[in-house]
Amino acid sequence: MNNFSQFIGTNFSISKFLDELESIIIYKDLNGIYLDCNKGFIDFIGKDKSEIIGKTDYFLFNRKTAEEIRKYELESQDSNKAIYYDKWLQNKDNISVLLRFNISPVICKGDKVDGILCVARDVTSSNRFQMLLDGTDEAQVFVKNNVFVSSNKPFLDIIKYKAEELKELSFSDLFENSDFMKFHNEEADQLKTKFRTTLIDRLFNRIDVIIERTNYYEGNLDLKLFQVKRISESLVKMPEGEKKKVLVDNSPIPTILIDYSGIISLANKAAKVTFESDLEGNSIEKFIPMLRGVNFKEIKDNEVVKFEVETRNKIYSFFTKNDSSFGCIGLYGVDITQRYIDSRKIKLQNQILDIATDGIVITELDGKIIWCNPAIEKLTGYSFKELSGQKPNLFKSGKHTKQFYVDMWETVLTGKIWTGKIINRRKDGELTHEAMTITPVKNAKGLLTHFITIKRDISQFIKVEEDLKLHRDNLEKIVKDRTNELQNINKELLTAKEFAEKSDQLKSEFLAQISHEIRTPVNAILSFSSMLELYMEGEVDEDLNFSFQMIKNGGERLIRTIDLILNKSELQLGTYHSNFKKQNLVDEVITPLVMEFKPLAKRKSLSLSMENNLPENYPAYFDKYSMWNIISHLIDNAIKYTDAGGVTVVSFINYDNKVEVDVKDTGIGISDKFLPAIFEAFSQEQSGYTRKFEGNGLGLSLVKDYCDLNNCKIKIETKKDVGTTFRIIIPN
């Protein structure tokens, strides 16, 4: 409890004393929330104390009054001084009472403002202003801060309003000319000053007047007394023509006078600016085509006809009036451009709000619904007629705690946006899940005026979420079961992997052992065969020499086969260790290989040549051992499958700016039928015992694997009985 409130509440004698005072005494916190009040205020407002404590003025008075009171409270807090002002309020019997307020900051500890103390007394009986006005025949009115305080009958006769109607108006609402309000608000050195302007009466007639202002002071009251005189009264003695010109020229609105034939006899400056022409002497139809064919004589005296005119830059609302006293038709225009633009915007905004799929509700500060869009009826089942004046607790479902709603209201009453999910009940009793946002609306002074609530039906989303949760739970169970299965499978796979690795190891050891066991005797055979051939040179016949050659060829063929199998095995097992670097392809690979295969080509009476079109010392990025085997196998195959002509190895930079090596031959070519299987292991175009060429079908398969290792592309161009070209494209 606040210190001041606690002091009053616990001291019986002081509390009783305050209740016996006729004055109104109110104590609020810094947010304008009622903490305590005396019996005088309870009797005035006509509510129980429990209905007042914890509320703000927005729940007790209309919005305009609450804003005004709050403004003075904030002014008192900011200045740390007492504020005095008079305010007409209606008591519990709906009788208007003039209260004189004293609003003071309450300081309980140090210099910190702890609350606001409001003391008010009834000064209605001492209101002498009305008596002052009623004692004169001049049209007069008292005004304070643009609000009517008192007015007399002559003034009401001019503006054609009733006294009680002025309570809903501001003084500025009566004036068309905005310059008048500058005059009204300016600080004048002299107590009296005059101003000429135009009044708008209750029937929307424009009345040229001269207003005399007098600053009126009484105690702490600072009022303005305005005396109003019609200008037309000073024109009574003027000749009709001069009177008509004075009235037109002095009007701030576009004014045109035409005779009954439609010819413009007089136009003021405002009209000439509007139509960008001198106007006078021309037919009105030239500027306002919609008046073409109108019989102006048929317009009755003082009859008003309204229509809209669109000029180059603006839109005007004109009305015509037959003034028989002047013998002419008057056209008077009002600039409605901004009003037209605003109405278009409002219409568009209303259309958007009407077609919005989200429900939108606007409430006053006490929660009463004042507007909602059509989507609300679909969402809640209630029509706007049923909801108007009701409060949102109509939708309560009973699914939320009291604290839920307390937290919601505390958030929005402090000017913050509340966002969350809520379960509401439709008119038919069905529960709906809603995503809801409540946005407080403030006026230019920063005071709360309304709340805008946006509601979206998310029932389907909630149902989907629940279904998804069910599916997720089922899926988690399936995943768990499947995981257990996979773990068992993984164990089996791990066992199989270990077995496969062991098999691969055995395979590698087997191949290495076989390689050793085969290479050793074959190399011995080849060595002793060569020694025997050399030893018996010149002493053996041709058949025996051919036998020596057969031994040599067979041994080399067997070693090549073993090398191919070992190389293929290394790639399959992943035990091959590459060594990529930039190096000279021609010097490191092509030239040595061409020199190596020249004797073989010569034995078959074939040419073997090399064409190097690469720049000198041009580097390429590759693994030397695998690239050596690629080119070696291609040259070896080219010689093997060529009976006449020759083999050419060409190196160059191709159109894609990449290094390319072409191995061309004039051999037997490759059939189109065999091409798709050419890189498959152990695949040969000719097979069986009748095949013409030796080989095991591993060479080109190994070439393809080595190309993949070097990220090279391999292409084939071939024609049966013409020749074949293998293209190796090495990336940069």
Side-chain angles (χ1 to χ4, degrees):
M1 184 183 294
N2 187 280
N3 294 335
F4 180 83
S5 180
Q6 187 177 25
F7 174 71
I8 293 177
T10 56
N11 193 316
F12 174 78
S13 59
I14 295 179
S15 179
K16 184 177 180 181
F17 169 74
L18 295 178
D19 281 340
E20 290 178 355
L21 291 176
E22 292 184 2
S23 297
I24 290 172
I25 299 176
I26 301 166
Y27 181 57
K28 303 178 184 178
D29 68 10
L30 298 180
N31 294 316
I33 297 174
Y34 282 78
L35 298 177
D36 209 344
C37 62
N38 73 338
K39 187 173 181 296
F41 183 66
I42 294 172
D43 292 341
F44 179 85
I45 202 73
K47 293 182 181 292
D48 292 335
K49 195 169 186 178
S50 60
E51 297 179 89
I52 300 172
I53 303 305
K55 302 293 192 302
T56 66
D57 287 312
Y58 289 99
F59 289 89
L60 302 177
F61 304 107
N62 62 48
R63 178 167 58 86
K64 188 174 181 180
T65 299
E67 286 179 356
E68 184 178 348
I69 294 173
R70 185 62 180 151
K71 182 188 73 172
Y72 286 117
E73 290 174 352
L74 293 173
E75 185 179 340
S76 175
Q77 290 180 41
D78 295 339
S79 64
N80 207 8
K81 295 179 181 178
I83 301 295
Y84 299 89
Y85 73 98
D86 287 3
K87 177 67 181 176
W88 287 94
L89 291 177
Q90 285 188 334
N91 63 14
K92 63 182 179 181
D93 299 319
N94 292 323
I95 298 173
S96 293
V97 178
L98 183 62
L99 296 178
R100 181 159 296 168
F101 280 89
N102 176 343
I103 298 179
S104 304
V106 176
I107 302 173
C108 291
K109 290 183 179 181
D111 295 329
K112 185 178 179 182
V113 176
D114 193 47
I116 296 295
L117 180 65
C118 303
V119 179
R121 62 187 180 88
D122 184 353
V123 294
T124 309
S125 60
S126 61
N127 183 18
R128 300 187 298 103
F129 308 128
Q130 191 63 49
M131 291 186 292
L132 290 173
L133 296 181
D134 291 341
T136 177
D137 293 332
E138 301 289 344
Q140 292 183 342
V141 58
F142 274 110
V143 175
K144 177 176 174 59
N145 296 329
N146 201 26
V147 176
F148 291 100
V149 175
S150 297
S151 58
N152 63 2
K153 187 175 184 301
F155 177 76
L156 295 175
D157 290 341
I158 292 176
I159 63 174
K160 297 182 175 60
Y161 279 96
K162 296 178 181 179
E164 57 268 22
E165 291 177 322
L166 295 184
K167 296 177 182 177
E168 304 299 325
L169 296 175
S170 298
F171 191 44
S172 58
D173 292 337
L174 299 180
F175 298 94
E176 180 180 69
N177 192 337
S178 60
D179 289 339
F180 171 71
M181 289 314 298
K182 297 178 183 177
F183 153 77
H184 169 261
N185 294 325
E186 71 182 0
E187 295 293 335
D189 292 336
Q190 65 273 26
L191 291 178
K192 291 188 177 183
T193 185
K194 291 183 180 181
F195 190 83
R196 179 174 178 169
T197 186
T198 302
L199 275 175
I200 308 295
D201 68 14
R202 191 173 184 275
L203 302 178
F204 300 103
N205 294 311
R206 287 160 176 76
I207 305 168
D208 289 331
V209 296
I210 292 176
I211 294 183
E212 182 176 344
R213 186 191 75 183
T214 302
N215 293 336
Y216 187 91
Y217 300 98
E218 180 179 312
N220 65 311
L221 288 179
D222 178 8
L223 303 178
K224 292 181 175 64
L225 174 65
F226 293 95
Q227 183 168 303
V228 182
K229 289 185 179 180
R230 292 174 179 265
I231 294 178
S232 56
E233 295 172 1
S234 63
L235 298 175
V236 172
K237 297 181 180 180
M238 281 188 180
E240 289 301 317
E242 185 179 348
K243 183 191 301 182
K244 179 169 63 176
K245 189 173 189 317
V246 169
L247 288 172
V248 172
D249 285 345
N250 283 282
S251 176
I253 65 174
T255 304
I256 302 172
L257 301 183
I258 61 174
D259 60 25
Y260 292 126
S261 63
I263 302 301
I264 300 172
S265 59
L266 188 63
N268 68 353
K269 183 178 179 181
K272 293 174 182 178
V273 170
T274 298
F275 291 97
E276 299 178 348
S277 173
D278 287 337
L279 298 177
E280 294 166 353
N282 291 293
S283 172
I284 190 63
E285 297 176 0
K286 178 179 178 182
F287 305 99
I288 307 178
M290 67 176 63
L291 297 180
R292 186 177 288 117
V294 174
N295 188 345
F296 295 105
K297 292 181 180 179
E298 293 182 355
I299 299 177
K300 297 177 182 179
D301 195 19
N302 292 321
E303 180 183 356
V304 175
V305 179
K306 292 185 178 182
F307 55 91
E308 291 184 2
V309 175
E310 186 172 350
T311 65
R312 189 173 69 174
N313 299 320
K314 294 185 177 182
I315 300 174
Y316 286 86
S317 175
F318 271 88
F319 66 92
T320 64
K321 185 177 180 182
N322 184 359
D323 194 339
S324 59
S325 62
F326 288 151
C328 64
I329 301 292
L331 281 77
Y332 310 93
V334 178
D335 184 355
I336 61 169
T337 307
Q338 191 58 46
R339 189 192 311 168
Y340 180 77
I341 293 172
D342 292 343
S343 68
R344 292 265 323 253
K345 287 181 179 178
I346 292 171
K347 185 177 180 181
L348 178 60
Q349 290 168 355
N350 288 337
Q351 288 175 342
I352 292 172
L353 292 174
D354 285 343
I355 65 175
T357 56
D358 289 347
I360 304 172
V361 179
I362 299 178
T363 65
E364 294 181 332
L365 291 182
D366 60 358
K368 288 182 181 178
I369 297 171
I370 61 173
W371 183 89
C372 63
N373 69 341
I376 283 294
E377 183 172 353
K378 182 179 179 181
L379 180 62
T380 67
Y382 292 96
S383 66
F384 171 63
K385 186 177 181 181
E386 293 173 301
L387 293 176
S388 181
Q390 297 290 335
K391 293 186 178 182
N393 57 14
L394 181 68
F395 308 131
K396 275 189 176 181
S397 63
K399 298 293 183 180
H400 299 284
T401 63
K402 182 179 179 181
Q403 190 61 41
F404 175 85
Y405 296 101
V406 170
D407 293 342
M408 178 193 297
W409 277 103
E410 282 184 354
T411 300
V412 296
L413 285 173
T414 56
K416 297 177 183 177
I417 297 174
W418 184 91
T419 301
K421 294 179 181 178
I422 190 171
I423 301 174
N424 278 331
R425 191 178 298 278
R426 287 171 46 87
K427 182 180 178 181
D428 58 12
E430 182 183 346
L431 296 179
T432 60
H433 293 263
E434 299 172 7
M436 192 164 75
T437 300
I438 305 176
T439 303
V441 179
K442 297 180 180 180
N443 61 14
K445 299 175 183 177
L447 301 175
L448 293 177
T449 60
H450 297 86
F451 297 116
I452 297 178
T453 303
I454 300 176
K455 303 154 71 74
R456 175 176 295 178
D457 187 353
I458 59 170
S459 300
Q460 287 298 321
F461 293 103
I462 297 298
K463 186 177 183 304
V464 170
E465 282 183 354
E466 291 173 350
D467 291 343
L468 284 175
K469 185 179 183 303
L470 181 62
H471 289 310
R472 185 168 59 246
D473 293 341
N474 292 335
L475 184 60
E476 287 176 354
K477 184 178 181 303
I478 293 171
V479 169
K480 185 177 180 180
D481 294 342
R482 185 59 178 160
T483 300
N484 292 333
E485 292 178 11
L486 290 174
Q487 286 175 347
N488 294 331
I489 293 172
N490 284 337
K491 290 179 181 178
E492 295 175 3
L493 289 175
L494 183 61
T495 302
K497 177 176 176 291
E498 291 174 351
F499 179 77
E501 289 175 348
K502 188 174 181 181
S503 298
D504 287 340
Q505 184 179 358
L506 289 173
K507 179 181 177 182
S508 299
E509 292 175 354
F510 171 75
L511 289 173
Q513 187 67 23
I514 288 297
S515 173
H516 174 74
E517 291 299 324
I518 294 177
R519 280 176 181 273
T520 300
V522 169
N523 285 331
I525 291 170
L526 289 176
S527 296
F528 283 111
S529 173
S530 296
M531 288 175 60
L532 189 58
E533 182 183 12
L534 184 62
Y535 179 75
M536 298 178 68
E537 185 177 5
E539 297 180 8
V540 295
D541 57 17
E542 185 177 345
D543 289 338
L544 193 56
N545 278 331
F546 181 73
S547 297
F548 283 129
Q549 188 62 41
M550 288 287 289
I551 293 171
K552 182 179 180 182
N553 291 344
E556 290 176 350
R557 178 180 173 186
L558 183 58
I559 289 175
R560 278 201 308 275
T561 300
I562 292 171
D563 288 341
L564 287 172
I565 292 173
L566 289 175
N567 288 342
K568 188 73 174 177
S569 177
E570 278 187 334
L571 291 174
Q572 288 179 341
L573 296 174
T575 58
Y576 176 76
H577 300 290
S578 57
N579 181 23
F580 285 93
K581 62 180 179 179
K582 284 189 176 182
Q583 46 201 320
N584 191 314
L585 179 65
V586 175
D587 292 346
E588 297 291 334
V589 178
I590 298 176
T591 300
L593 282 173
V594 169
M595 297 303 295
E596 180 182 327
F597 279 97
K598 272 188 177 293
L600 179 60
K602 186 176 181 181
R603 284 202 295 271
K604 291 188 68 175
S605 301
L606 300 174
S607 65
L608 175 58
S609 61
M610 180 182 72
E611 294 180 13
N612 177 26
N613 297 315
L614 292 172
E616 186 177 358
N617 296 323
Y618 191 82
Y621 188 74
F622 59 91
D623 172 59
K624 182 177 179 180
Y625 178 81
S626 56
M627 186 60 68
W628 180 283
N629 277 278
I630 292 170
I631 306 299
S632 174
H633 282 298
L634 292 179
I635 295 175
D636 185 46
N637 278 0
I639 294 172
K640 181 193 300 183
Y641 294 105
T642 301
D643 293 329
V647 178
T648 306
V649 181
V650 184
S651 55
F652 59 97
I653 303 294
N654 66 11
Y655 291 112
D656 293 329
N657 200 33
K658 294 180 180 179
V659 174
E660 183 173 327
V661 179
D662 293 351
V663 179
K664 303 179 180 181
D665 66 55
T666 57
I668 63 173
I670 304 169
S671 66
D672 293 339
K673 184 179 179 181
F674 180 66
L675 275 177
I678 194 169
F679 294 119
E680 293 180 6
F682 306 108
S683 175
Q684 290 182 298
E685 187 171 0
Q686 295 180 355
S687 59
Y689 294 108
T690 60
R691 63 181 179 172
K692 182 178 178 182
F693 300 97
E694 65 180 34
N696 49 42
L698 281 176
L700 286 179
S701 174
L702 193 59
V703 165
K704 181 66 170 66
D705 290 341
Y706 280 144
C707 283
D708 292 342
L709 180 70
N710 284 273
N711 292 322
C712 296
K713 290 183 179 179
I714 181 167
K715 298 181 179 180
I716 306 172
E717 293 179 6
T718 183
K719 188 173 183 181
K720 200 67 176 173
D721 299 325
V722 174
T724 300
T725 300
F726 281 87
R727 302 184 185 277
I728 307 298
I729 302 169
I730 304 171
N732 295 329

